[in-house]
Amino acid sequence: MSVKKKPLVVVTRKLPDSIETRMRELFDARINLDDTPLSPEQIAEAARTADVLVPTVTDQITADVINQPDCKLRLIANFGNGVDNIDVEAAHARGITVTNTPKVLTEDTADMTMALILAVPRRLIEGASILTEGKPWAGWSPTWMLGHRIGGKRLGIIGMGRIGQAVARRARAFGLQIHYHNRRPVAPKIAEELGATYWESLDQMLARMDIISVNCPHTPATYHLLSARRLKLIRKEAYVVNTARGEVTDEDTLIKLIEAGEIGGAALDVYEHEPAVNPKLVRLAKAGKVTLLPHMGSATIEGRVEMGEKVIINIRTFLDAHKPPDRVLPSML
């Protein structure tokens, strides 16, 4: 009896061991043990040889990759929620299914967002550096390293999806007043639960908030949503938190406004030209004006394993000739 050949699945980055082991059991899985990012040429080669490609947010699956005459891909099972790294329209036109891993990282990302909301006004990073960098500390003083309380402040959430709502729940527990801008208002029951005020006009909301939290996906419509013009609407005492995508903010203008004292500060986990970080941001961080993290918002063991499990479910469902549960269509973007 002949043994059915397993489909070739190429995984672009190192995944949790339990996920890689399961993939090896189920598929002819080509995994990336040293976690070195694949070059564009290697991604193109994978598309010509694999049945299924499992990329991550850092892998650009462009129309050129998808439209190669000898592209063999049938499924792109993205290891991540956002799919701005994939030309979904080109894949759809070519008959290639695209999936993602939604609803997995909501709580992890909201936790990190709340941590950053706290970090800037309470000067946590500055305070920690006093001890870790050997700076002089004479002990407690009633007027030293003073920050600001966050209770009673207004939090403006840009993007009231799953993550935005999870951030709002945490923030409300800390006594923040919840405001939000979204394409449409959330259900009345959710708005009542969160005590949330809806702003149809992003401009009007920005001008009134103490803290701005970016929680929307990066799409063509949200590129530089926080444009130079809109950033100039933000109050001098306010600050911006971004754990979504760096491209949503005009980073150069944000830097200039913080340098000029026109915006109070920022807490960033993502960057416009990631993994490159603007040296001016680093200087601002050293001066205590901004808090910077290296894209850690979703970085929990539990989250990464759940993402991998979703990828496996999507692949198996697709190979069984059913619609994957996390299929992404151009109309959804």
Side-chain angles (χ1 to χ4, degrees), residues 111-126:
D111 285 344
M112 187 62 82
T113 304
M114 195 65 224
L116 290 176
I117 288 172
L118 289 165
V120 174
R122 294 308 307 270
R123 304 173 69 178
L124 297 186
I125 303 301
E126 288 179 84

PDB file of all heavy atoms in Angstrom, residues 111-126:
ATOM      1  N   ASP A 111      -2.497  43.888  28.242  1.00  0.00           N
ATOM      2  CA  ASP A 111      -1.663  43.973  29.449  1.00  0.00           C
ATOM      3  C   ASP A 111      -0.478  44.906  29.217  1.00  0.00           C
ATOM      4  O   ASP A 111      -0.169  45.764  30.050  1.00  0.00           O
ATOM      5  CB  ASP A 111      -1.138  42.588  29.841  1.00  0.00           C
ATOM      6  CG  ASP A 111      -2.198  41.700  30.485  1.00  0.00           C
ATOM      7  OD1 ASP A 111      -3.245  42.228  30.908  1.00  0.00           O
ATOM      8  OD2 ASP A 111      -1.960  40.484  30.573  1.00  0.00           O
ATOM      9  N   MET A 112       0.202  44.715  28.066  1.00  0.00           N
ATOM     10  CA  MET A 112       1.375  45.539  27.785  1.00  0.00           C
ATOM     11  C   MET A 112       0.983  46.999  27.552  1.00  0.00           C
ATOM     12  O   MET A 112       1.694  47.916  27.965  1.00  0.00           O
ATOM     13  CB  MET A 112       2.123  44.994  26.578  1.00  0.00           C
ATOM     14  CG  MET A 112       3.450  45.696  26.308  1.00  0.00           C
ATOM     15  SD  MET A 112       4.627  45.517  27.682  1.00  0.00           S
ATOM     16  CE  MET A 112       5.287  43.872  27.315  1.00  0.00           C
ATOM     17  N   THR A 113      -0.151  47.210  26.895  1.00  0.00           N
ATOM     18  CA  THR A 113      -0.622  48.578  26.686  1.00  0.00           C
ATOM     19  C   THR A 113      -0.862  49.262  28.023  1.00  0.00           C
ATOM     20  O   THR A 113      -0.455  50.414  28.231  1.00  0.00           O
ATOM     21  CB  THR A 113      -1.915  48.580  25.855  1.00  0.00           C
ATOM     22  OG1 THR A 113      -1.685  47.892  24.623  1.00  0.00           O
ATOM     23  CG2 THR A 113      -2.373  50.001  25.562  1.00  0.00           C
ATOM     24  N   MET A 114      -1.493  48.552  28.939  1.00  0.00           N
ATOM     25  CA  MET A 114      -1.756  49.143  30.258  1.00  0.00           C
ATOM     26  C   MET A 114      -0.451  49.406  30.995  1.00  0.00           C
ATOM     27  O   MET A 114      -0.317  50.426  31.697  1.00  0.00           O
ATOM     28  CB  MET A 114      -2.656  48.199  31.073  1.00  0.00           C
ATOM     29  CG  MET A 114      -3.282  48.849  32.285  1.00  0.00           C
ATOM     30  SD  MET A 114      -4.433  50.165  31.831  1.00  0.00           S
ATOM     31  CE  MET A 114      -3.970  51.439  33.010  1.00  0.00           C
ATOM     32  N   ALA A 115       0.511  48.521  30.849  1.00  0.00           N
ATOM     33  CA  ALA A 115       1.809  48.731  31.485  1.00  0.00           C
ATOM     34  C   ALA A 115       2.458  50.015  30.974  1.00  0.00           C
ATOM     35  O   ALA A 115       3.034  50.794  31.748  1.00  0.00           O
ATOM     36  CB  ALA A 115       2.723  47.534  31.228  1.00  0.00           C
ATOM     37  N   LEU A 116       2.357  50.260  29.668  1.00  0.00           N
ATOM     38  CA  LEU A 116       2.945  51.471  29.086  1.00  0.00           C
ATOM     39  C   LEU A 116       2.158  52.716  29.476  1.00  0.00           C
ATOM     40  O   LEU A 116       2.733  53.802  29.648  1.00  0.00           O
ATOM     41  CB  LEU A 116       3.028  51.337  27.567  1.00  0.00           C
ATOM     42  CG  LEU A 116       4.054  50.313  27.067  1.00  0.00           C
ATOM     43  CD1 LEU A 116       3.995  50.190  25.547  1.00  0.00           C
ATOM     44  CD2 LEU A 116       5.458  50.694  27.505  1.00  0.00           C
ATOM     45  N   ILE A 117       0.842  52.582  29.607  1.00  0.00           N
ATOM     46  CA  ILE A 117       0.033  53.711  30.069  1.00  0.00           C
ATOM     47  C   ILE A 117       0.493  54.148  31.463  1.00  0.00           C
ATOM     48  O   ILE A 117       0.539  55.337  31.785  1.00  0.00           O
ATOM     49  CB  ILE A 117      -1.460  53.341  30.069  1.00  0.00           C
ATOM     50  CG1 ILE A 117      -1.984  53.254  28.619  1.00  0.00           C
ATOM     51  CG2 ILE A 117      -2.293  54.328  30.877  1.00  0.00           C
ATOM     52  CD1 ILE A 117      -3.386  52.703  28.492  1.00  0.00           C
ATOM     53  N   LEU A 118       0.878  53.185  32.277  1.00  0.00           N
ATOM     54  CA  LEU A 118       1.374  53.481  33.621  1.00  0.00           C
ATOM     55  C   LEU A 118       2.820  53.962  33.618  1.00  0.00           C
ATOM     56  O   LEU A 118       3.215  54.811  34.429  1.00  0.00           O
ATOM     57  CB  LEU A 118       1.269  52.234  34.497  1.00  0.00           C
ATOM     58  CG  LEU A 118      -0.128  51.780  34.913  1.00  0.00           C
ATOM     59  CD1 LEU A 118      -0.085  50.363  35.446  1.00  0.00           C
ATOM     60  CD2 LEU A 118      -0.690  52.729  35.960  1.00  0.00           C
ATOM     61  N   ALA A 119       3.619  53.418  32.706  1.00  0.00           N
ATOM     62  CA  ALA A 119       5.068  53.655  32.739  1.00  0.00           C
ATOM     63  C   ALA A 119       5.442  55.108  32.513  1.00  0.00           C
ATOM     64  O   ALA A 119       6.359  55.624  33.166  1.00  0.00           O
ATOM     65  CB  ALA A 119       5.759  52.769  31.699  1.00  0.00           C
ATOM     66  N   VAL A 120       4.769  55.784  31.584  1.00  0.00           N
ATOM     67  CA  VAL A 120       5.166  57.154  31.247  1.00  0.00           C
ATOM     68  C   VAL A 120       4.873  58.140  32.386  1.00  0.00           C
ATOM     69  O   VAL A 120       5.793  58.831  32.855  1.00  0.00           O
ATOM     70  CB  VAL A 120       4.511  57.611  29.929  1.00  0.00           C
ATOM     71  CG1 VAL A 120       4.812  59.078  29.669  1.00  0.00           C
ATOM     72  CG2 VAL A 120       5.031  56.768  28.774  1.00  0.00           C
ATOM     73  N   PRO A 121       3.641  58.251  32.877  1.00  0.00           N
ATOM     74  CA  PRO A 121       3.391  59.259  33.914  1.00  0.00           C
ATOM     75  C   PRO A 121       4.088  58.959  35.241  1.00  0.00           C
ATOM     76  O   PRO A 121       4.438  59.886  35.972  1.00  0.00           O
ATOM     77  CB  PRO A 121       1.866  59.241  34.068  1.00  0.00           C
ATOM     78  CG  PRO A 121       1.457  57.888  33.618  1.00  0.00           C
ATOM     79  CD  PRO A 121       2.409  57.530  32.513  1.00  0.00           C
ATOM     80  N   ARG A 122       4.317  57.679  35.549  1.00  0.00           N
ATOM     81  CA  ARG A 122       4.982  57.333  36.801  1.00  0.00           C
ATOM     82  C   ARG A 122       6.496  57.183  36.650  1.00  0.00           C
ATOM     83  O   ARG A 122       7.183  56.831  37.588  1.00  0.00           O
ATOM     84  CB  ARG A 122       4.370  56.050  37.378  1.00  0.00           C
ATOM     85  CG  ARG A 122       2.915  56.200  37.806  1.00  0.00           C
ATOM     86  CD  ARG A 122       2.689  57.385  38.751  1.00  0.00           C
ATOM     87  NE  ARG A 122       3.559  57.366  39.894  1.00  0.00           N
ATOM     88  CZ  ARG A 122       3.265  56.761  41.044  1.00  0.00           C
ATOM     89  NH1 ARG A 122       2.089  56.145  41.185  1.00  0.00           N
ATOM     90  NH2 ARG A 122       4.106  56.790  42.055  1.00  0.00           N
ATOM     91  N   ARG A 123       7.011  57.434  35.450  1.00  0.00           N
ATOM     92  CA  ARG A 123       8.451  57.484  35.175  1.00  0.00           C
ATOM     93  C   ARG A 123       9.162  56.192  35.610  1.00  0.00           C
ATOM     94  O   ARG A 123      10.245  56.205  36.187  1.00  0.00           O
ATOM     95  CB  ARG A 123       9.064  58.707  35.879  1.00  0.00           C
ATOM     96  CG  ARG A 123       8.392  60.004  35.480  1.00  0.00           C
ATOM     97  CD  ARG A 123       8.870  61.193  36.271  1.00  0.00           C
ATOM     98  NE  ARG A 123      10.245  61.549  35.942  1.00  0.00           N
ATOM     99  CZ  ARG A 123      10.887  62.594  36.482  1.00  0.00           C
ATOM    100  NH1 ARG A 123      10.251  63.378  37.339  1.00  0.00           N
ATOM    101  NH2 ARG A 123      12.132  62.846  36.153  1.00  0.00           N
ATOM    102  N   LEU A 124       8.548  55.058  35.295  1.00  0.00           N
ATOM    103  CA  LEU A 124       9.070  53.768  35.752  1.00  0.00           C
ATOM    104  C   LEU A 124      10.446  53.454  35.186  1.00  0.00           C
ATOM    105  O   LEU A 124      11.333  52.989  35.907  1.00  0.00           O
ATOM    106  CB  LEU A 124       8.088  52.647  35.376  1.00  0.00           C
ATOM    107  CG  LEU A 124       6.696  52.694  36.008  1.00  0.00           C
ATOM    108  CD1 LEU A 124       5.912  51.451  35.647  1.00  0.00           C
ATOM    109  CD2 LEU A 124       6.799  52.831  37.526  1.00  0.00           C
ATOM    110  N   ILE A 125      10.625  53.670  33.887  1.00  0.00           N
ATOM    111  CA  ILE A 125      11.908  53.344  33.268  1.00  0.00           C
ATOM    112  C   ILE A 125      13.011  54.251  33.800  1.00  0.00           C
ATOM    113  O   ILE A 125      14.131  53.801  34.090  1.00  0.00           O
ATOM    114  CB  ILE A 125      11.813  53.444  31.734  1.00  0.00           C
ATOM    115  CG1 ILE A 125      10.705  52.538  31.204  1.00  0.00           C
ATOM    116  CG2 ILE A 125      13.155  53.082  31.098  1.00  0.00           C
ATOM    117  CD1 ILE A 125      10.862  51.079  31.545  1.00  0.00           C
ATOM    118  N   GLU A 126      12.698  55.535  33.951  1.00  0.00           N
ATOM    119  CA  GLU A 126      13.679  56.468  34.516  1.00  0.00           C
ATOM    120  C   GLU A 126      14.085  56.033  35.922  1.00  0.00           C
ATOM    121  O   GLU A 126      15.273  56.029  36.274  1.00  0.00           O
ATOM    122  CB  GLU A 126      13.089  57.868  34.595  1.00  0.00           C
ATOM    123  CG  GLU A 126      12.923  58.589  33.291  1.00  0.00           C
ATOM    124  CD  GLU A 126      12.309  59.955  33.534  1.00  0.00           C
ATOM    125  OE1 GLU A 126      13.077  60.880  33.861  1.00  0.00           O
ATOM    126  OE2 GLU A 126      11.076  60.076  33.407  1.00  0.00           O
TER     127      GLU A 126
END
